[in-house]
């Protein structure tokens, strides 16, 4: 892998069978992300954005090709190995926050750290630090229903990076927010990526936010190309 490249897709293919038809969604994708880089994935609905994110994030296996994370080929690893990599090295953010409603913002961010095996005090301190970084430190003991949409999404981002992953996969992370709130959330996410050295692939329909990222790509005929 080239210097500073965190994740690389080499010749990745993804197919689905629909009745007697085989649908090719990803067709020999070659793509890489560097440390501290934010890349916007801009493509029409149905083009395969979610499939690309799920395959790069090891939620789905490539039918051909490979996903290489920090120099390690991951496409053919066992389910347990892939789960461990996702838990430790890959963060996910979606359009809807998917926070656990019975837990506070702080506890939601603590959860993946506790699953990883961190002591409760250490997980709590890390969660509080991330809430402060996302500029919602005073909201840590509120449950999701008591937070605004932008606050909920900032908690979701903090939760996604709680275990200090190498890569962040975000699928329309501001798609459910009004333009002003979307800008605030994007600013917080951008600062976090640059400060931590994350590599981030962000699917978005928001062309204004996409233009503020390091580069833009799209999907055409199952391949990733410059936008």
């Amino acid at each position: 892998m080239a210097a500073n490249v965190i994740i690389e897709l080499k010749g990745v293919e993804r197919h689905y069978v629909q009745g007697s038809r085989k649908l090719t969604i990803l067709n020999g994708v070659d793509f890489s992300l560097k440390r501290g880089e934010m890349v916007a994935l801009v493509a029409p609905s149905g083009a395969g954005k979610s499939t690309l994110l799920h395959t790069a994030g090891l939620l789905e296996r490539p039918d051909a090709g490979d996903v290489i994370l920090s120099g390690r080929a991951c496409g053919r690893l066992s389910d347990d190995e892939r789960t461990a990599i996702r838990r430790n090295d890959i963060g996910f953010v979606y359009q809807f926050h998917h926070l656990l409603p019975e837990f506070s913002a702080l506890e939601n961010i603590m959860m993946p750290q506790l699953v990883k095996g961190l002591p409760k005090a250490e997980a709590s301190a890390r969660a509080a630090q991330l809430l402060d970084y996302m500029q919602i430190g005073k909201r840590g003991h509120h449950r999701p229903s008591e937070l605004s949409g932008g606050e909920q999404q900032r908690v979701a981002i903090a939760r996604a990076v709680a275990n200090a992953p190498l890569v962040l996969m975000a699928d329309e992370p501001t798609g459910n927010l009004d333009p002003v709130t979307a800008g605030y959330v994007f600013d917080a996410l951008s600062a976090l990526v640059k400060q931590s050295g994350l590599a981030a692939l962000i699917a978005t329909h928001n062309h204004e936010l996409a233009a503020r990222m390091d580069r833009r790509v799209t999907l055409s005929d199952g391949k990733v190309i410059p936008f």
Side-chain angles (χ1 to χ4, degrees):
M1 294 176 73
N4 290 326
V5 170
I6 295 297
I7 187 168
E8 185 174 9
L9 278 64
K10 286 189 171 182
V12 166
E13 296 183 11
R14 195 74 178 93
H15 312 287
Y16 299 101
V17 176
Q18 194 174 71
S20 61
R21 299 169 57 211
K22 184 173 83 169
L23 302 178
T24 297
I25 307 301
L26 304 180
N27 186 21
V29 167
D30 294 311
F31 176 69
S32 63
L33 282 171
K34 295 180 180 179
R35 187 184 305 276
E37 181 182 40
M38 290 183 75
V39 176
L41 174 59
V42 184
S45 296
K49 297 191 300 297
S50 294
T51 298
L52 178 62
L53 289 167
H54 290 171
T55 305
L58 307 186
L59 289 169
E60 299 183 22
R61 292 182 183 276
D63 294 304
D66 211 341
V67 179
I68 301 169
L69 180 63
S70 196
R72 183 183 185 185
C74 300
R76 302 292 174 261
L77 295 178
S78 70
D79 287 343
D80 287 346
E81 289 173 314
R82 289 156 61 87
T83 297
I85 292 172
R86 288 197 305 270
R87 181 174 62 240
N88 297 325
D89 295 330
I90 303 174
F92 295 90
V93 181
Y94 298 97
Q95 180 174 350
F96 300 99
H97 55 77
H98 298 300
L99 298 174
L100 299 172
E102 65 271 29
F103 295 105
S104 69
L106 187 80
E107 290 166 337
N108 267 277
I109 301 169
M110 289 173 62
M111 203 64 63
Q113 301 177 77
L114 297 175
V115 170
K116 187 178 179 179
L118 266 68
K120 187 174 181 179
E122 186 176 340
S124 178
R126 166 77 171 160
Q129 181 184 45
L130 284 167
L131 284 169
D132 284 340
Y133 194 88
M134 301 299 286
Q135 299 183 355
I136 50 172
K138 294 181 179 180
R139 308 289 279 166
H141 295 291
H142 290 72
R143 293 186 179 184
S145 61
E146 300 170 313
L147 302 174
S148 70
E151 289 171 338
Q152 291 170 347
Q153 199 64 323
R154 279 186 261 186
V155 173
I157 292 168
R159 180 182 59 183
V161 302
N163 284 336
L166 299 173
V167 180
L168 181 68
M169 302 289 172
D171 197 351
E172 297 287 351
T174 63
N176 201 37
L177 305 174
D178 66 81
V180 173
T181 304
Y184 289 143
V185 170
F186 177 82
D187 288 342
L189 175 57
S190 179
L192 187 62
V193 167
K194 299 305 180 185
Q195 186 271 338
S196 64
L198 270 169
L201 178 60
I202 302 172
T204 181
H205 283 106
N206 189 320
H207 289 268
E208 182 180 339
L209 294 184
R212 295 171 58 188
M213 299 189 211
D214 296 305
R215 57 189 172 103
R216 290 174 287 178
V217 298
T218 189
L219 280 161
S220 179
D221 296 324
K223 297 183 184 297
V224 174
I225 60 173
F227 183 81

